[in-house]
Amino acid sequence: MNMAYREKIAWLELAGQVVAYGGFFAAVIVAERMGGVSLLLFIGLFAAASVIRMLIEGVGRFVIAARSGADARVPADERDRAIARRGAAIAYYVLMAGMILVGLVMPFTASGMKIVSAALLGLVLAELVRCSIIVSSYRRGWHG
């Protein structure tokens, strides 16, 4: 089955996030169990994860565009825009739930790096949901 260009990009974004931020959160959990996560370590790990994600997505976009030829230059049509809106709308609710947890609940039960980590997790989960909705919409042939 031939994938649409924007579906390939959504898969790429999904993979980049899982690899980069999956590794980031795994490293944070390991560091926490070994004695704690300093701010410098957290920032260094996050910077490394962000660079890894940018490299995966940058190189991947280049390769996908080169292999897709003219398809990569075709502007998004109504279906593509509807799918993107649907993904963003659902991801917004995930983001809001995460931020309510981080801003309104966690200050009474946690502090410091746990709140920062939870906020970052909320952002990453929202992006994962956005990409997942886009991929599943293309897979199921959603037409809005």
Side-chain angles (χ1 to χ4, degrees), residues 74-113:
V74 173
D77 61 14
E78 279 299 316
R79 177 176 173 247
D80 296 325
R81 289 191 293 274
I83 288 172
R85 277 192 307 272
R86 180 173 184 248
I90 294 169
Y92 173 80
Y93 291 109
V94 173
L95 179 62
M96 287 299 103
M99 294 308 105
I100 288 169
L101 177 68
V102 167
L104 298 176
V105 176
M106 286 187 76
F108 297 106
T109 62
S111 63
M113 295 308 292

